[in-house]
């Protein structure tokens, strides 16, 4: 597989929110995605509550896990 990099100004908010959304779309729960990224980064990410809520919203509205064809 290929690697993907996402980066925002400090790497604590927007890019982890995007990465968490991708993980959610592949089948992880919002909490699992946030915990996995936070563990990898050694800090809580995304750092803003609104960004974590957005990841939860993605999880709630996601019908089925996405998988590449």
């Amino acid at each position: 597989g290929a690697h993907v990099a996402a980066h925002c100004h400090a790497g604590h908010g927007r890019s982890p929110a995007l990465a968490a959304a991708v993980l959610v779309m592949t089948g992880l729960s919002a909490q699992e995605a946030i915990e996995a990224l936070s563990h990898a980064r050694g800090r809580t990410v995304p750092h803003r509550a609104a960004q974590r809520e957005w990841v939860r919203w993605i999880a709630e509205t996601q019908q089925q896990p996405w998988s590449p064809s």
Side-chain angles (χ1 to χ4, degrees):
H3 298 275
V4 175
H7 200 282
C8 55
H9 179 70
H12 310 155
R14 291 167 291 184
S15 56
L18 175 64
V22 170
L23 291 174
V24 163
M25 293 178 73
T26 62
L28 269 65
S29 72
Q31 191 61 37
E32 290 170 330
I34 291 168
E35 287 176 2
L37 291 169
S38 295
H39 177 75
R41 292 297 311 270
R43 64 173 5 144
T44 301
V45 293
H47 75 290
R48 295 190 188 274
Q51 293 162 329
R52 293 188 299 274
E53 285 302 315
W54 180 77
V55 174
R56 290 183 186 96
W57 177 80
I58 294 292
E60 291 170 7
T61 59
Q62 180 70 17
Q63 301 265 331
Q64 295 179 12
W66 174 84
S67 64
S69 304

Short mmCIF file of all heavy atoms in Angstrom, two decimals:
data_model
loop_
_atom_site.label_atom_id
_atom_site.label_comp_id
_atom_site.label_asym_id
_atom_site.label_seq_id
_atom_site.Cartn_x
_atom_site.Cartn_y
_atom_site.Cartn_z
N GLY A 1 0.80 -1.17 0.00
CA GLY A 1 0.00 0.00 0.00
C GLY A 1 0.85 1.25 0.00
O GLY A 1 2.03 1.25 0.31
N ALA A 2 0.20 2.30 -0.36
CA ALA A 2 0.84 3.61 -0.40
C ALA A 2 0.69 4.31 0.94
O ALA A 2 -0.14 3.97 1.76
CB ALA A 2 0.21 4.45 -1.51
N HIS A 3 1.51 5.31 1.15
CA HIS A 3 1.46 6.13 2.35
C HIS A 3 0.86 7.47 1.98
O HIS A 3 1.05 7.97 0.88
CB HIS A 3 2.85 6.33 2.93
CG HIS A 3 3.49 5.06 3.36
ND1 HIS A 3 3.26 4.49 4.59
CD2 HIS A 3 4.32 4.21 2.70
CE1 HIS A 3 3.93 3.37 4.69
NE2 HIS A 3 4.59 3.18 3.55
N VAL A 4 0.15 8.05 2.93
CA VAL A 4 -0.45 9.36 2.72
C VAL A 4 -0.04 10.25 3.88
O VAL A 4 -0.02 9.81 5.03
CB VAL A 4 -1.99 9.27 2.67
CG1 VAL A 4 -2.63 10.64 2.57
CG2 VAL A 4 -2.42 8.38 1.51
N ALA A 5 0.29 11.49 3.60
CA ALA A 5 0.63 12.45 4.64
C ALA A 5 -0.36 13.61 4.58
O ALA A 5 -0.73 14.06 3.50
CB ALA A 5 2.05 12.97 4.46
N ALA A 6 -0.80 14.04 5.75
CA ALA A 6 -1.66 15.23 5.85
C ALA A 6 -1.05 16.11 6.92
O ALA A 6 -0.61 15.61 7.96
CB ALA A 6 -3.07 14.83 6.24
N HIS A 7 -0.99 17.40 6.66
CA HIS A 7 -0.38 18.29 7.64
C HIS A 7 -1.10 19.62 7.65
O HIS A 7 -1.48 20.13 6.61
CB HIS A 7 1.10 18.51 7.34
CG HIS A 7 1.86 19.00 8.52
ND1 HIS A 7 1.81 20.32 8.93
CD2 HIS A 7 2.66 18.36 9.38
CE1 HIS A 7 2.57 20.45 10.01
NE2 HIS A 7 3.09 19.28 10.29
N CYS A 8 -1.30 20.15 8.84
CA CYS A 8 -1.83 21.49 9.00
C CYS A 8 -0.72 22.31 9.68
O CYS A 8 0.40 21.83 9.82
CB CYS A 8 -3.12 21.49 9.80
SG CYS A 8 -3.01 20.69 11.41
N HIS A 9 -1.02 23.48 10.13
CA HIS A 9 0.02 24.36 10.67
C HIS A 9 0.84 23.69 11.78
O HIS A 9 2.06 23.63 11.69
CB HIS A 9 -0.61 25.66 11.19
CG HIS A 9 0.40 26.60 11.79
ND1 HIS A 9 1.32 27.27 11.02
CD2 HIS A 9 0.63 26.95 13.07
CE1 HIS A 9 2.09 28.00 11.81
NE2 HIS A 9 1.68 27.82 13.05
N ALA A 10 0.20 23.18 12.81
CA ALA A 10 0.93 22.58 13.93
C ALA A 10 0.78 21.06 13.99
O ALA A 10 1.47 20.40 14.74
CB ALA A 10 0.47 23.20 15.25
N GLY A 11 -0.14 20.52 13.22
CA GLY A 11 -0.34 19.07 13.23
C GLY A 11 -1.11 18.53 14.41
O GLY A 11 -1.06 17.34 14.69
N HIS A 12 -1.86 19.39 15.11
CA HIS A 12 -2.62 18.94 16.28
C HIS A 12 -4.12 18.90 16.04
O HIS A 12 -4.84 18.35 16.85
CB HIS A 12 -2.44 19.86 17.48
CG HIS A 12 -1.06 20.20 17.84
ND1 HIS A 12 -0.76 21.34 18.51
CD2 HIS A 12 0.12 19.58 17.62
CE1 HIS A 12 0.53 21.42 18.70
NE2 HIS A 12 1.09 20.37 18.16
N GLY A 13 -4.60 19.56 15.00
CA GLY A 13 -6.05 19.73 14.86
C GLY A 13 -6.62 19.25 13.55
O GLY A 13 -7.24 18.19 13.48
N ARG A 14 -6.41 20.02 12.51
CA ARG A 14 -7.06 19.70 11.23
C ARG A 14 -6.54 18.41 10.61
O ARG A 14 -7.34 17.58 10.15
CB ARG A 14 -6.91 20.86 10.25
CG ARG A 14 -7.71 22.08 10.68
CD ARG A 14 -7.33 23.29 9.91
NE ARG A 14 -5.96 23.68 10.34
CZ ARG A 14 -5.33 24.75 9.93
NH1 ARG A 14 -5.89 25.56 9.05
NH2 ARG A 14 -4.13 25.03 10.38
N SER A 15 -5.25 18.21 10.58
CA SER A 15 -4.74 16.99 9.95
C SER A 15 -5.12 15.74 10.76
O SER A 15 -5.53 14.74 10.15
CB SER A 15 -3.24 17.06 9.69
OG SER A 15 -2.51 17.34 10.84
N PRO A 16 -5.05 15.74 12.10
CA PRO A 16 -5.53 14.57 12.82
C PRO A 16 -7.04 14.35 12.66
O PRO A 16 -7.50 13.21 12.64
CB PRO A 16 -5.18 14.84 14.28
CG PRO A 16 -4.09 15.84 14.23
CD PRO A 16 -4.35 16.66 13.01
N ALA A 17 -7.81 15.43 12.54
CA ALA A 17 -9.25 15.28 12.32
C ALA A 17 -9.49 14.59 10.97
O ALA A 17 -10.32 13.68 10.87
CB ALA A 17 -9.95 16.63 12.37
N LEU A 18 -8.77 15.00 9.95
CA LEU A 18 -8.89 14.37 8.64
C LEU A 18 -8.47 12.90 8.71
O LEU A 18 -9.16 12.02 8.20
CB LEU A 18 -8.05 15.11 7.61
CG LEU A 18 -7.98 14.48 6.23
CD1 LEU A 18 -9.35 14.46 5.57
CD2 LEU A 18 -6.99 15.22 5.36
N ALA A 19 -7.35 12.63 9.35
CA ALA A 19 -6.86 11.25 9.48
C ALA A 19 -7.86 10.39 10.26
O ALA A 19 -8.12 9.25 9.89
CB ALA A 19 -5.49 11.23 10.16
N ALA A 20 -8.43 10.94 11.32
CA ALA A 20 -9.43 10.20 12.10
C ALA A 20 -10.66 9.91 11.26
O ALA A 20 -11.21 8.80 11.33
CB ALA A 20 -9.80 10.98 13.36
N ALA A 21 -11.09 10.87 10.45
CA ALA A 21 -12.24 10.65 9.58
C ALA A 21 -11.97 9.53 8.58
O ALA A 21 -12.84 8.69 8.33
CB ALA A 21 -12.61 11.93 8.86
N VAL A 22 -10.76 9.49 8.05
CA VAL A 22 -10.41 8.40 7.12
C VAL A 22 -10.45 7.06 7.85
O VAL A 22 -10.98 6.08 7.34
CB VAL A 22 -9.03 8.65 6.47
CG1 VAL A 22 -8.55 7.43 5.71
CG2 VAL A 22 -9.08 9.88 5.57
N LEU A 23 -9.90 7.01 9.06
CA LEU A 23 -9.94 5.76 9.84
C LEU A 23 -11.37 5.34 10.13
O LEU A 23 -11.71 4.15 10.07
CB LEU A 23 -9.15 5.92 11.13
CG LEU A 23 -7.63 6.05 10.98
CD1 LEU A 23 -6.99 6.36 12.32
CD2 LEU A 23 -7.05 4.79 10.36
N VAL A 24 -12.22 6.30 10.45
CA VAL A 24 -13.64 6.01 10.70
C VAL A 24 -14.28 5.44 9.43
O VAL A 24 -15.04 4.48 9.49
CB VAL A 24 -14.38 7.29 11.17
CG1 VAL A 24 -15.89 7.14 11.04
CG2 VAL A 24 -13.99 7.61 12.61
N MET A 25 -13.95 6.03 8.30
CA MET A 25 -14.55 5.56 7.05
C MET A 25 -14.08 4.17 6.66
O MET A 25 -14.72 3.51 5.84
CB MET A 25 -14.26 6.57 5.93
CG MET A 25 -14.97 7.90 6.17
SD MET A 25 -14.61 9.12 4.92
CE MET A 25 -15.55 8.45 3.56
N THR A 26 -12.98 3.71 7.26
CA THR A 26 -12.51 2.34 6.98
C THR A 26 -12.99 1.34 8.02
O THR A 26 -12.64 0.17 7.94
CB THR A 26 -10.98 2.28 6.86
OG1 THR A 26 -10.40 2.67 8.10
CG2 THR A 26 -10.48 3.17 5.74
N GLY A 27 -13.79 1.82 9.01
CA GLY A 27 -14.41 0.88 9.93
C GLY A 27 -14.15 1.09 11.41
O GLY A 27 -14.80 0.47 12.24
N LEU A 28 -13.21 1.95 11.79
CA LEU A 28 -12.99 2.21 13.22
C LEU A 28 -14.09 3.10 13.76
O LEU A 28 -14.69 3.88 13.01
CB LEU A 28 -11.65 2.91 13.44
CG LEU A 28 -10.42 2.03 13.69
CD1 LEU A 28 -10.11 1.21 12.48
CD2 LEU A 28 -9.24 2.88 14.10
N SER A 29 -14.35 3.00 15.05
CA SER A 29 -15.27 3.94 15.68
C SER A 29 -14.53 5.27 15.83
O SER A 29 -13.29 5.33 15.73
CB SER A 29 -15.70 3.44 17.06
OG SER A 29 -14.63 3.54 17.99
N ALA A 30 -15.28 6.33 16.07
CA ALA A 30 -14.65 7.64 16.28
C ALA A 30 -13.68 7.57 17.46
O ALA A 30 -12.56 8.08 17.37
CB ALA A 30 -15.71 8.71 16.52
N GLN A 31 -14.09 6.93 18.54
CA GLN A 31 -13.23 6.84 19.71
C GLN A 31 -11.96 6.04 19.42
O GLN A 31 -10.87 6.43 19.83
CB GLN A 31 -14.00 6.22 20.89
CG GLN A 31 -13.28 6.32 22.20
CD GLN A 31 -13.03 7.76 22.62
OE1 GLN A 31 -13.85 8.65 22.39
NE2 GLN A 31 -11.89 8.01 23.23
N GLU A 32 -12.10 4.93 18.71
CA GLU A 32 -10.91 4.13 18.34
C GLU A 32 -9.95 4.94 17.48
O GLU A 32 -8.74 4.88 17.69
CB GLU A 32 -11.34 2.87 17.59
CG GLU A 32 -12.06 1.86 18.44
CD GLU A 32 -12.68 0.74 17.62
OE1 GLU A 32 -13.07 0.99 16.45
OE2 GLU A 32 -12.80 -0.37 18.14
N ALA A 33 -10.49 5.68 16.53
CA ALA A 33 -9.64 6.48 15.64
C ALA A 33 -8.92 7.58 16.41
O ALA A 33 -7.70 7.77 16.25
CB ALA A 33 -10.49 7.09 14.52
N ILE A 34 -9.64 8.28 17.27
CA ILE A 34 -9.04 9.35 18.07
C ILE A 34 -7.98 8.79 19.00
O ILE A 34 -6.88 9.35 19.13
CB ILE A 34 -10.13 10.13 18.83
CG1 ILE A 34 -10.97 10.94 17.83
CG2 ILE A 34 -9.53 11.02 19.90
CD1 ILE A 34 -12.25 11.52 18.41
N GLU A 35 -8.27 7.68 19.65
CA GLU A 35 -7.30 7.06 20.56
C GLU A 35 -6.05 6.58 19.82
O GLU A 35 -4.94 6.75 20.30
CB GLU A 35 -7.94 5.92 21.33
CG GLU A 35 -8.91 6.39 22.39
CD GLU A 35 -9.63 5.25 23.09
OE1 GLU A 35 -9.37 4.06 22.80
OE2 GLU A 35 -10.49 5.57 23.95
N ALA A 36 -6.23 5.98 18.65
CA ALA A 36 -5.08 5.49 17.88
C ALA A 36 -4.17 6.64 17.47
O ALA A 36 -2.94 6.55 17.61
CB ALA A 36 -5.56 4.73 16.64
N LEU A 37 -4.77 7.72 16.98
CA LEU A 37 -3.96 8.87 16.57
C LEU A 37 -3.32 9.56 17.77
O LEU A 37 -2.16 9.98 17.70
CB LEU A 37 -4.81 9.86 15.78
CG LEU A 37 -5.25 9.35 14.42
CD1 LEU A 37 -6.30 10.26 13.82
CD2 LEU A 37 -4.07 9.20 13.49
N SER A 38 -4.05 9.67 18.87
CA SER A 38 -3.50 10.30 20.07
C SER A 38 -2.32 9.48 20.61
O SER A 38 -1.30 10.04 21.01
CB SER A 38 -4.58 10.45 21.14
OG SER A 38 -5.58 11.35 20.72
N HIS A 39 -2.46 8.17 20.57
CA HIS A 39 -1.37 7.30 21.03
C HIS A 39 -0.14 7.49 20.13
O HIS A 39 0.98 7.62 20.62
CB HIS A 39 -1.82 5.85 21.02
CG HIS A 39 -0.75 4.89 21.41
ND1 HIS A 39 -0.32 4.73 22.70
CD2 HIS A 39 0.00 4.05 20.64
CE1 HIS A 39 0.66 3.84 22.72
NE2 HIS A 39 0.87 3.41 21.50
N ALA A 40 -0.37 7.50 18.82
CA ALA A 40 0.74 7.66 17.87
C ALA A 40 1.43 9.01 18.03
O ALA A 40 2.65 9.10 17.89
CB ALA A 40 0.24 7.49 16.44
N ARG A 41 0.68 10.04 18.33
CA ARG A 41 1.24 11.40 18.46
C ARG A 41 1.76 11.70 19.86
O ARG A 41 2.48 12.66 20.07
CB ARG A 41 0.18 12.45 18.10
CG ARG A 41 -0.24 12.50 16.66
CD ARG A 41 0.89 12.86 15.70
NE ARG A 41 1.65 14.02 16.09
CZ ARG A 41 1.39 15.27 15.75
NH1 ARG A 41 0.36 15.53 14.98
NH2 ARG A 41 2.15 16.25 16.16
N GLY A 42 1.35 10.91 20.87
CA GLY A 42 1.79 11.16 22.23
C GLY A 42 1.09 12.33 22.89
O GLY A 42 1.57 12.88 23.88
N ARG A 43 -0.05 12.72 22.33
CA ARG A 43 -0.86 13.81 22.88
C ARG A 43 -2.28 13.63 22.35
O ARG A 43 -2.49 12.93 21.38
CB ARG A 43 -0.32 15.17 22.46
CG ARG A 43 -0.39 15.40 20.97
CD ARG A 43 -0.04 16.77 20.45
NE ARG A 43 0.45 17.67 21.43
CZ ARG A 43 1.39 18.57 21.24
NH1 ARG A 43 1.94 18.67 20.05
NH2 ARG A 43 1.77 19.37 22.19
N THR A 44 -3.23 14.27 22.99
CA THR A 44 -4.61 14.18 22.53
C THR A 44 -4.77 14.97 21.23
O THR A 44 -4.48 16.16 21.19
CB THR A 44 -5.58 14.73 23.60
OG1 THR A 44 -5.42 13.96 24.79
CG2 THR A 44 -7.02 14.63 23.12
N VAL A 45 -5.19 14.28 20.19
CA VAL A 45 -5.49 14.92 18.91
C VAL A 45 -6.78 14.33 18.37
O VAL A 45 -7.07 13.18 18.65
CB VAL A 45 -4.33 14.72 17.89
CG1 VAL A 45 -3.10 15.45 18.29
CG2 VAL A 45 -4.04 13.25 17.62
N PRO A 46 -7.56 15.07 17.63
CA PRO A 46 -7.48 16.50 17.44
C PRO A 46 -7.66 17.23 18.78
O PRO A 46 -8.38 16.76 19.65
CB PRO A 46 -8.62 16.85 16.48
CG PRO A 46 -9.23 15.55 16.06
CD PRO A 46 -8.70 14.49 16.91
N HIS A 47 -6.98 18.36 18.92
CA HIS A 47 -6.96 19.01 20.23
C HIS A 47 -8.19 19.86 20.52
O HIS A 47 -8.47 20.14 21.68
CB HIS A 47 -5.66 19.81 20.43
CG HIS A 47 -5.59 21.10 19.68
ND1 HIS A 47 -5.46 21.16 18.32
CD2 HIS A 47 -5.61 22.37 20.11
CE1 HIS A 47 -5.40 22.41 17.93
NE2 HIS A 47 -5.49 23.18 18.99
N ARG A 48 -8.96 20.23 19.54
CA ARG A 48 -10.18 21.02 19.79
C ARG A 48 -11.40 20.10 19.87
O ARG A 48 -11.55 19.18 19.07
CB ARG A 48 -10.39 22.05 18.70
CG ARG A 48 -9.31 23.10 18.67
CD ARG A 48 -9.72 24.22 17.73
NE ARG A 48 -8.63 25.15 17.53
CZ ARG A 48 -8.37 26.18 18.34
NH1 ARG A 48 -9.14 26.40 19.38
NH2 ARG A 48 -7.35 26.97 18.09
N ALA A 49 -12.26 20.37 20.84
CA ALA A 49 -13.47 19.57 21.02
C ALA A 49 -14.32 19.57 19.75
O ALA A 49 -14.90 18.54 19.39
CB ALA A 49 -14.27 20.09 22.22
N ALA A 50 -14.41 20.70 19.08
CA ALA A 50 -15.23 20.78 17.86
C ALA A 50 -14.69 19.85 16.78
O ALA A 50 -15.48 19.26 16.02
CB ALA A 50 -15.27 22.22 17.35
N GLN A 51 -13.39 19.68 16.72
CA GLN A 51 -12.80 18.77 15.73
C GLN A 51 -13.10 17.32 16.09
O GLN A 51 -13.40 16.49 15.21
CB GLN A 51 -11.30 19.01 15.63
CG GLN A 51 -10.98 20.37 15.04
CD GLN A 51 -9.57 20.81 15.30
OE1 GLN A 51 -8.97 20.46 16.32
NE2 GLN A 51 -9.02 21.61 14.39
N ARG A 52 -13.05 16.98 17.38
CA ARG A 52 -13.42 15.63 17.80
C ARG A 52 -14.89 15.36 17.54
O ARG A 52 -15.28 14.26 17.13
CB ARG A 52 -13.06 15.41 19.27
CG ARG A 52 -11.55 15.41 19.52
CD ARG A 52 -11.20 15.00 20.93
NE ARG A 52 -11.73 15.89 21.94
CZ ARG A 52 -11.13 17.02 22.36
NH1 ARG A 52 -9.97 17.38 21.84
NH2 ARG A 52 -11.68 17.76 23.30
N GLU A 53 -15.73 16.36 17.76
CA GLU A 53 -17.17 16.22 17.47
C GLU A 53 -17.41 15.99 15.98
O GLU A 53 -18.29 15.23 15.60
CB GLU A 53 -17.95 17.44 17.96
CG GLU A 53 -18.13 17.48 19.46
CD GLU A 53 -18.84 16.24 19.99
OE1 GLU A 53 -19.87 15.81 19.40
OE2 GLU A 53 -18.36 15.68 20.99
N TRP A 54 -16.63 16.66 15.14
CA TRP A 54 -16.75 16.46 13.70
C TRP A 54 -16.43 15.02 13.33
O TRP A 54 -17.13 14.41 12.52
CB TRP A 54 -15.84 17.43 12.94
CG TRP A 54 -15.91 17.29 11.46
CD1 TRP A 54 -16.91 17.74 10.64
CD2 TRP A 54 -14.96 16.63 10.62
NE1 TRP A 54 -16.63 17.41 9.34
CE2 TRP A 54 -15.45 16.73 9.29
CE3 TRP A 54 -13.76 15.98 10.85
CZ2 TRP A 54 -14.76 16.20 8.21
CZ3 TRP A 54 -13.08 15.45 9.76
CH2 TRP A 54 -13.57 15.56 8.46
N VAL A 55 -15.40 14.44 13.95
CA VAL A 55 -15.06 13.03 13.71
C VAL A 55 -16.22 12.14 14.15
O VAL A 55 -16.59 11.20 13.44
CB VAL A 55 -13.75 12.64 14.43
CG1 VAL A 55 -13.48 11.16 14.28
CG2 VAL A 55 -12.58 13.46 13.90
N ARG A 56 -16.81 12.44 15.30
CA ARG A 56 -17.98 11.66 15.77
C ARG A 56 -19.15 11.79 14.81
O ARG A 56 -19.87 10.83 14.56
CB ARG A 56 -18.36 12.09 17.18
CG ARG A 56 -17.34 11.66 18.21
CD ARG A 56 -17.76 12.02 19.63
NE ARG A 56 -16.69 11.72 20.56
CZ ARG A 56 -15.80 12.60 21.00
NH1 ARG A 56 -15.88 13.87 20.64
NH2 ARG A 56 -14.84 12.23 21.83
N TRP A 57 -19.35 13.00 14.25
CA TRP A 57 -20.42 13.21 13.28
C TRP A 57 -20.18 12.36 12.04
O TRP A 57 -21.11 11.75 11.50
CB TRP A 57 -20.52 14.70 12.92
CG TRP A 57 -21.55 14.98 11.88
CD1 TRP A 57 -22.90 15.09 12.07
CD2 TRP A 57 -21.31 15.16 10.48
NE1 TRP A 57 -23.51 15.34 10.86
CE2 TRP A 57 -22.56 15.39 9.87
CE3 TRP A 57 -20.17 15.17 9.69
CZ2 TRP A 57 -22.69 15.61 8.51
CZ3 TRP A 57 -20.31 15.39 8.34
CH2 TRP A 57 -21.56 15.61 7.76
N ILE A 58 -18.94 12.32 11.58
CA ILE A 58 -18.61 11.47 10.43
C ILE A 58 -18.98 10.02 10.74
O ILE A 58 -19.58 9.33 9.93
CB ILE A 58 -17.10 11.57 10.07
CG1 ILE A 58 -16.76 12.97 9.56
CG2 ILE A 58 -16.67 10.50 9.06
CD1 ILE A 58 -17.35 13.33 8.22
N ALA A 59 -18.63 9.57 11.95
CA ALA A 59 -18.93 8.18 12.34
C ALA A 59 -20.43 7.93 12.37
O ALA A 59 -20.89 6.86 11.95
CB ALA A 59 -18.30 7.88 13.70
N GLU A 60 -21.19 8.89 12.85
CA GLU A 60 -22.64 8.72 12.94
C GLU A 60 -23.31 8.72 11.58
O GLU A 60 -24.32 8.05 11.39
CB GLU A 60 -23.24 9.84 13.80
CG GLU A 60 -22.88 9.74 15.25
CD GLU A 60 -23.27 10.98 16.04
OE1 GLU A 60 -23.95 11.88 15.46
OE2 GLU A 60 -22.90 11.07 17.21
N THR A 61 -22.77 9.47 10.64
CA THR A 61 -23.41 9.57 9.34
C THR A 61 -22.87 8.56 8.33
O THR A 61 -23.46 8.40 7.27
CB THR A 61 -23.25 11.00 8.76
OG1 THR A 61 -21.88 11.31 8.64
CG2 THR A 61 -23.93 12.02 9.65
N GLN A 62 -21.78 7.90 8.67
CA GLN A 62 -21.18 6.89 7.79
C GLN A 62 -22.07 5.65 7.77
O GLN A 62 -22.32 5.06 8.81
CB GLN A 62 -19.77 6.55 8.27
CG GLN A 62 -19.05 5.53 7.43
CD GLN A 62 -18.67 6.08 6.06
OE1 GLN A 62 -18.65 7.27 5.83
NE2 GLN A 62 -18.39 5.19 5.15
N GLN A 63 -22.54 5.26 6.61
CA GLN A 63 -23.44 4.12 6.48
C GLN A 63 -22.70 2.78 6.58
O GLN A 63 -23.09 1.91 7.32
CB GLN A 63 -24.18 4.20 5.16
CG GLN A 63 -24.98 5.46 5.00
CD GLN A 63 -26.41 5.29 5.41
OE1 GLN A 63 -26.94 4.21 5.30
NE2 GLN A 63 -27.03 6.34 5.88
N GLN A 64 -21.65 2.64 5.81
CA GLN A 64 -20.87 1.42 5.78
C GLN A 64 -19.40 1.77 5.63
O GLN A 64 -19.08 2.80 5.04
CB GLN A 64 -21.29 0.54 4.61
CG GLN A 64 -22.70 0.04 4.69
CD GLN A 64 -23.05 -0.82 3.48
OE1 GLN A 64 -22.20 -1.21 2.70
NE2 GLN A 64 -24.33 -1.10 3.31
N PRO A 65 -18.51 0.93 6.13
CA PRO A 65 -17.08 1.20 5.93
C PRO A 65 -16.73 1.29 4.46
O PRO A 65 -17.29 0.57 3.64
CB PRO A 65 -16.38 0.01 6.59
CG PRO A 65 -17.38 -0.54 7.54
CD PRO A 65 -18.73 -0.26 6.93
N TRP A 66 -15.83 2.18 4.13
CA TRP A 66 -15.36 2.36 2.77
C TRP A 66 -14.16 1.46 2.55
O TRP A 66 -13.33 1.30 3.43
CB TRP A 66 -14.97 3.82 2.54
CG TRP A 66 -14.34 4.07 1.22
CD1 TRP A 66 -15.00 4.29 0.05
CD2 TRP A 66 -12.95 4.14 0.91
NE1 TRP A 66 -14.10 4.49 -0.98
CE2 TRP A 66 -12.83 4.39 -0.47
CE3 TRP A 66 -11.79 4.00 1.66
CZ2 TRP A 66 -11.60 4.52 -1.11
CZ3 TRP A 66 -10.57 4.12 1.02
CH2 TRP A 66 -10.48 4.38 -0.35
N SER A 67 -14.07 0.87 1.40
CA SER A 67 -12.87 0.12 1.05
C SER A 67 -12.54 0.40 -0.41
O SER A 67 -13.44 0.49 -1.25
CB SER A 67 -13.06 -1.38 1.28
OG SER A 67 -14.05 -1.89 0.43
N PRO A 68 -11.26 0.57 -0.69
CA PRO A 68 -10.88 0.85 -2.09
C PRO A 68 -11.17 -0.34 -2.98
O PRO A 68 -11.08 -1.50 -2.55
CB PRO A 68 -9.38 1.13 -1.99
CG PRO A 68 -8.94 0.53 -0.72
CD PRO A 68 -10.14 0.49 0.19
N SER A 69 -11.53 -0.07 -4.19
CA SER A 69 -11.84 -1.16 -5.14
C SER A 69 -10.59 -1.70 -5.77
O SER A 69 -9.63 -1.06 -5.96
CB SER A 69 -12.74 -0.64 -6.25
OG SER A 69 -13.90 -0.08 -5.70
#
